[in-house]
Amino acid sequence: MALIEMKNIKKDYVLGETIVHALRGIDLRIDKGEFAAIWGPSGSGKTTLLNLIGVIDEPSEGDIVIAGKHTLSLSDNQKSALRNESIGFIFQNFSLIPVLSAIENVMLPLQIKGESFSKTREKALIRLKEVGLGELVHKRPFKMSGGQQQRVAIARALVNDPYLVIADEPTANLDSENAHAIIDIMRELNEKDGITFIFSTHDQRLLDRVAHLLHLEDGRIADEETRR
Amino acid sequence: MIRWIKLAVRNIKRNKRRTIVTLLAIAVGFSAISLFYGYTVRIYWYLKEGAIRGESLGHLTIYKTGRLEKGKIDPEKFMFSQDEISKIVDCVTQEKGVILATPQIHVNGLVTNGTISTPFISQGIVPKDDKVIKGSWGRLRPVTGDKLNDRKPYGVEVAKDLAKLLNLEPGKDAVVMAPTLSGQINALDIQVAGVFDTGMAATNDKLMRLTFGFAQSLLDTKMADKVVVLLNDTGTTEKMRSSLLAKLTGAGVDAEIKTWDEISLYYARSKRLLDVILLFIFFIVFIIVAMSTVNTMGMVVLERTREIGILRALGLKQRGVLLLFTIEGGFLGILGSFAGIVIHLIVCTVLRIFSPTYIPPSGSTPVRLWVDFVPETLFILVAFMTLLSSITAIIAARRASRQNIVNALGHV
């Protein structure tokens, strides 16, 4: 069953008098429970594509359907609700809120949703333990290593039980050991909970372990490979 | 909501120096308004009591209709007869909330010590009633010598500069002259019972107080030009005017009633001046606080644009972002206001300990510099400052909340 369907997606940016064609007509289908990677050189449009899938940006042309919803027809509040309840984000530079502790960062999406404090805390604690940070729940981000911060970001992305997690180069700022650990966690969650993961990466270690590989070049899908 | 408050408080603590500067701007602005307001409240009280009690105006003054407009042309026509005075006093004193009603008569003339003559203005008053009207205010303006009393009707109180001019002191004799109501010149001997300070330079060289009977004799009349009414509660003045007027009209008395603040021009003008100054200060403080918080919140929003992007990506709605910054702005307002209250209390305490005095522009004696602590006004001011900071925070955050999420996330 298709979780994401994109038809003839184009995205242009206007930089002064120059128009940059970031995406030049993408047709894409990703099914529920996939572990998919988008790879390609810098400037090929990977992040732009992920932003569109994550409903934090809008295409210049084309149609995007996520879990049966045409995202272009959604209001800003509806898009916010969709992101909050169904999509988890893992950013390259962790993007944690510095004044909040690990557990408070993880609790954020549930708090935005309006869930009770006790329920929120309980769920956040479970997710933090899952990513191996049960002992560091009260630490602030600046007192944690890059790998630990990325795990907090993963826990935050998962706390709302989303059906889709989008990760923009999740291992780019990590050393080899931490990168492996993060890949293991993501793969395990994908296999165990059936969460769909879509991420952009240059990391060959990560590319070796994906089932659905999209090669992006110059704003187009140059190659698409599905492995068993 | 508590979680957002917690987040707001932590964000406020992020840049301590900037927060302290903003809080100081709010606190100083707050205390500037609250202290000046506290000062004006004390001045208004002083002027009000000075008019009602010091000038013996009471709360309400009953005149014959037309007295104030045409009384100077034909005074007798606009004065109350003895019967009317009795009727008014009976009628008014029956009303609940009225302490007393007493007749008075105004006299202008010349006073001489045999060598020097000078004009005077005076009120003929009933001494025992005036004692009630003065109340504790009398202690602020003590009389040197004896006070007026009915046992010695020719005894008068003379304002201090007038006494000095005529070389008069308690026990000394003089003569007063004034035209009677029929236009004849009348002269009567007086003896200075006491010397008093009116508190105002403008009246200290011409004011005298006569007993009501003596003033009537000088004007050769048995009439009074007004009846002064003292009430239990100044707050009921307006309401009481309406009810007394209805009652007097019902009793067939052709009268008009003026409130103390309508008669005391000095009070009205001083209040108007201080109100304008207060408004001016308020406006300046408003601008300073608004600009300070807009600047702070603008910098805060700019610095946290990326965080706004993260929160939006996590599903926080635009109004959620606004709420977050509104709470932060509100907190700055509350904390700054409380710091302002502390400054207010410190200044009040210092003034109470050192009791500095000053002579008002038209005054004759030093008065104590005093600032009142008015809790309800401070509460309103806290609410205003909080609202102001919150609104400025919204102004600053509005643009950021509407910003494209991808752009916000890419902000460095």
Side-chain angles (χ1 to χ4, degrees):
Chain A
M1 181 192 161
L3 180 67
I4 300 158
E5 273 188 290
M6 296 180 112
K7 282 175 192 161
N8 192 30
I9 291 297
K10 290 180 184 169
K11 178 70 183 175
D12 300 333
Y13 292 107
V14 180
L15 295 173
E17 291 179 356
T18 315
I19 296 175
V20 178
H21 303 288
L23 297 177
R24 297 165 185 261
I26 300 276
D27 292 304
L28 173 70
R29 177 194 161 107
I30 291 174
D31 290 335
K32 199 168 183 288
E34 279 198 44
F35 198 68
I38 300 165
W39 72 283
S42 292
S44 59
K46 301 187 293 292
T47 302
T48 304
L49 185 59
L50 287 182
N51 289 341
L52 294 175
I53 296 171
V55 203
I56 57 175
D57 204 356
E58 287 184 359
S60 308
E61 250 185 85
D63 188 25
I64 305 173
V65 182
I66 296 177
K69 287 177 187 162
H70 290 265
T71 61
L72 290 178
S73 60
L74 298 177
S75 67
D76 189 73
N77 282 350
Q78 286 170 325
K79 284 179 191 168
S80 296
L82 177 69
R83 286 194 300 272
N84 180 244
E85 289 165 19
S86 312
I87 304 172
F89 287 93
I90 302 167
F91 299 99
Q92 181 181 345
N93 45 12
F94 324 130
S95 295
L96 301 176
I97 305 293
V99 293
L100 299 180
S101 65
I103 192 161
E104 287 167 339
N105 263 291
V106 178
M107 287 162 73
L108 260 180
L110 291 168
Q111 290 179 327
I112 289 170
K113 195 176 175 185
E115 292 209 4
S116 71
F117 179 81
S118 56
K119 196 175 171 186
T120 304
R121 195 179 158 76
E122 191 185 332
K123 277 188 167 183
L125 208 54
I126 291 169
R127 287 300 187 188
L128 277 170
K129 281 178 182 166
E130 268 180 0
V131 296
L133 290 180
E135 303 297 314
L136 301 176
V137 291
H138 297 301
K139 274 205 170 179
R140 296 264 179 104
F142 61 88
K143 288 187 174 170
M144 299 171 112
S145 69
Q148 288 169 335
Q149 288 188 51
Q150 196 60 302
R151 288 183 203 205
V152 175
I154 293 172
R156 185 179 67 185
L158 298 169
V159 75
N160 254 351
D161 300 322
Y163 48 68
L164 172 64
V165 172
I166 291 165
D168 190 7
E169 307 214 21
T171 56
N173 286 339
L174 300 178
D175 57 39
S176 180
E177 190 184 341
N178 274 312
H180 273 295
I182 295 297
I183 295 163
D184 289 343
I185 291 168
M186 284 166 52
R187 191 67 181 140
E188 189 187 330
L189 288 164
N190 169 253
E191 285 168 1
K192 188 177 70 156
D193 298 338
I195 300 167
T196 309
F197 275 81
I198 306 173
F199 48 88
S200 64
T201 186
H202 288 107
D203 194 336
Q204 195 56 48
R205 295 162 298 190
L206 202 45
L207 290 173
D208 290 342
R209 298 177 64 175
V210 298
H212 189 169
L213 201 59
L214 290 150
H215 179 203
L216 217 61
E217 213 170 272
D218 202 20
R220 291 191 180 90
I221 295 176
D223 186 25
E224 190 169 358
E225 184 186 342
T226 307
R227 300 170 184 163
R228 294 280 168 194
Chain B
M1 181 59 90
I2 290 167
R3 52 192 167 247
W4 300 121
I5 291 173
K6 208 168 157 185
L7 183 59
V9 170
R10 285 189 197 172
N11 280 325
I12 285 172
K13 288 199 281 188
R14 262 182 179 186
N15 191 329
K16 290 192 178 68
R17 191 184 295 171
R18 187 171 56 208
T19 300
I20 287 169
V21 170
T22 311
L23 290 180
L24 269 177
I26 297 172
V28 170
F30 182 98
S31 55
I33 297 175
S34 70
L35 285 169
F36 192 74
Y37 181 78
Y39 170 72
T40 59
V41 165
R42 173 54 51 159
I43 293 290
Y44 294 160
W45 176 86
Y46 194 81
L47 292 172
K48 182 189 79 183
E49 292 298 308
I52 295 170
R53 299 187 180 277
E55 293 177 44
S56 302
L57 293 179
H59 292 95
L60 295 167
T61 304
I62 304 169
Y63 296 99
K64 193 162 240 186
T65 305
R67 161 82 194 175
L68 294 172
E69 290 81 32
K70 303 169 197 163
K72 281 184 182 164
I73 301 162
D74 187 358
E76 203 166 4
K77 191 179 168 189
F78 296 100
M79 291 171 80
F80 293 122
S81 67
Q82 277 186 305
D83 283 349
E84 284 174 321
I85 294 168
S86 302
K87 199 188 264 185
I88 291 168
V89 171
D90 287 347
C91 197
V92 169
T93 49
Q94 280 169 11
E95 194 76 14
K96 204 178 163 190
V98 172
I99 296 175
L100 64 79
T102 182
Q104 290 183 359
I105 190 164
H106 183 78
V107 186
N108 291 340
L110 285 175
V111 55
T112 178
N113 61 2
T115 313
I116 306 166
S117 300
T118 187
F120 73 92
I121 52 173
S122 72
Q123 288 296 339
I125 54 179
V126 178
K128 66 176 177 47
D129 290 343
D130 196 59
K131 194 179 171 189
V132 177
I133 292 174
K134 289 276 187 300
S136 58
W137 184 263
R139 285 200 293 273
L140 287 174
R141 298 264 176 266
V143 174
T144 308
D146 293 332
K147 290 182 178 176
L148 288 184
N149 72 75
D150 286 322
R151 289 190 305 279
K152 195 176 173 184
Y154 56 89
V156 301
E157 289 176 8
V158 182
K160 68 171 191 179
D161 289 347
L162 180 59
K164 197 175 168 188
L165 180 71
L166 297 173
N167 197 24
L168 295 175
E169 58 188 46
K172 282 205 171 180
D173 297 326
V175 175
V176 286
M177 287 181 291
T180 63
L181 293 182
S182 58
Q184 305 296 311
I185 292 294
N186 193 13
L188 291 175
D189 291 331
I190 56 166
Q191 190 175 70
V192 177
V195 175
F196 67 98
D197 185 348
T198 65
M200 291 174 71
T203 54
N204 249 342
D205 63 347
K206 52 181 79 72
L207 204 68
M208 283 172 58
R209 286 201 286 252
L210 315 173
T211 62
F212 181 64
F214 185 82
Q216 282 184 318
S217 300
L218 190 57
L219 293 175
D220 191 24
T221 181
K222 289 293 176 190
M223 302 173 100
D225 59 8
K226 61 191 166 196
V227 175
V228 165
V229 181
L230 186 70
L231 304 175
N232 258 331
D233 176 9
T234 308
T236 63
T237 304
E238 200 54 54
K239 194 177 154 201
M240 198 61 93
R241 166 164 55 186
S242 310
S243 83
L244 289 181
L245 193 60
K247 208 166 177 185
L248 289 173
T249 308
V253 179
D254 180 21
E256 60 181 328
I257 303 178
K258 295 285 178 189
T259 59
W260 63 272
D261 51 338
E262 288 170 341
I263 298 171
S264 178
L265 288 176
Y266 184 69
Y267 173 84
R269 284 174 189 164
S270 303
K271 188 171 186 307
R272 219 173 295 144
L273 175 71
L274 287 173
D275 282 348
V276 168
I277 296 172
L278 181 64
L279 189 69
F280 185 67
I281 290 175
F282 183 83
F283 183 71
I284 290 173
V285 168
F286 173 84
I287 299 285
I288 291 171
V289 171
M291 285 178 71
S292 175
T293 45
V294 160
N295 181 45
T296 300
M297 294 313 293
M299 286 168 73
V300 164
V301 167
L302 194 70
E303 282 173 7
R304 301 218 319 260
T305 302
R306 190 174 154 69
E307 277 178 43
I308 293 170
I310 297 168
L311 291 170
R312 292 278 288 128
L314 295 179
L316 189 65
K317 293 173 182 163
Q318 286 182 6
R319 64 168 181 267
V321 175
L322 288 181
L323 177 70
L324 192 60
F325 283 96
T326 305
I327 293 171
E328 275 188 52
F331 258 105
L332 283 175
I334 289 173
L335 293 174
S337 299
F338 279 109
I341 291 176
V342 171
I343 294 174
H344 185 110
L345 287 172
I346 289 170
V347 173
C348 282
T349 309
V350 168
L351 290 178
R352 276 158 181 72
I353 292 169
F354 295 102
S355 301
T357 58
Y358 70 104
I359 298 177
S362 57
S364 61
T365 46
V367 294
R368 206 170 153 189
L369 181 59
W370 190 275
V371 172
D372 275 357
F373 186 82
V374 191
E376 56 268 36
T377 307
L378 293 181
F379 178 76
I380 292 169
L381 210 48
V382 169
F384 175 78
M385 287 294 184
T386 308
L387 192 68
L388 180 63
S389 325
S390 302
I391 290 170
T392 52
I394 291 174
I395 292 168
R398 230 166 83 96
R399 205 165 152 194
S401 73
R402 292 176 173 182
Q403 197 174 340
N404 177 286
I405 299 172
V406 174
N407 291 343
L409 284 169
H411 188 87
V412 183

